[in-house]
Amino acid sequence: MSSQPDWATYIAQMEQILALELDDARRAELLTQFNLIAAMAQPLMALPLDDRLEVAGVFHP
C-alpha cells in the first residue's frame, strides 16, 4: 500500500519552481482541491490491472 502524497510540500515546491507567490487562502484552496482530486482518483488507481495489459496503445501509421 502506498502512502498519501504530501500535497502541502508539493504545492510549496511548485511555488518555488514556477516563481509563484501564493497567499495562505489560495494555498489552502489548492490543498483542498488536490485532496479532492486524489480522493476521486483513488478507486481508479486501486483497480487491479492484468500484468499483460499494455499501459498505452501504440499508434502504427
Side-chain angles (χ1 to χ4, degrees), residues 20-45:
L20 297 174
E21 292 184 28
L22 301 175
D23 60 20
D24 289 341
R26 287 185 186 259
R27 201 174 292 113
E29 183 59 28
L30 276 172
L31 187 57
T32 298
Q33 293 301 319
F34 273 103
N35 282 313
L36 287 172
I37 293 165
M40 287 188 287
Q42 195 281 326
L44 180 61
M45 298 302 290

Side-chain angles (χ1 to χ4, degrees), residues 6-26:
D6 182 358
W7 295 119
T9 299
Y10 176 79
I11 292 168
Q13 290 171 344
M14 290 298 106
E15 280 185 81
Q16 289 181 337
I17 291 170
L18 300 173
L20 297 174
E21 292 184 28
L22 301 175
D23 60 20
D24 289 341
R26 287 185 186 259

Side-chain angles (χ1 to χ4, degrees), residues 45-58:
M45 298 302 290
L47 184 68
L49 297 176
D50 186 357
D51 289 338
R52 295 174 292 160
L53 187 65
E54 289 188 30
V55 176
V58 177

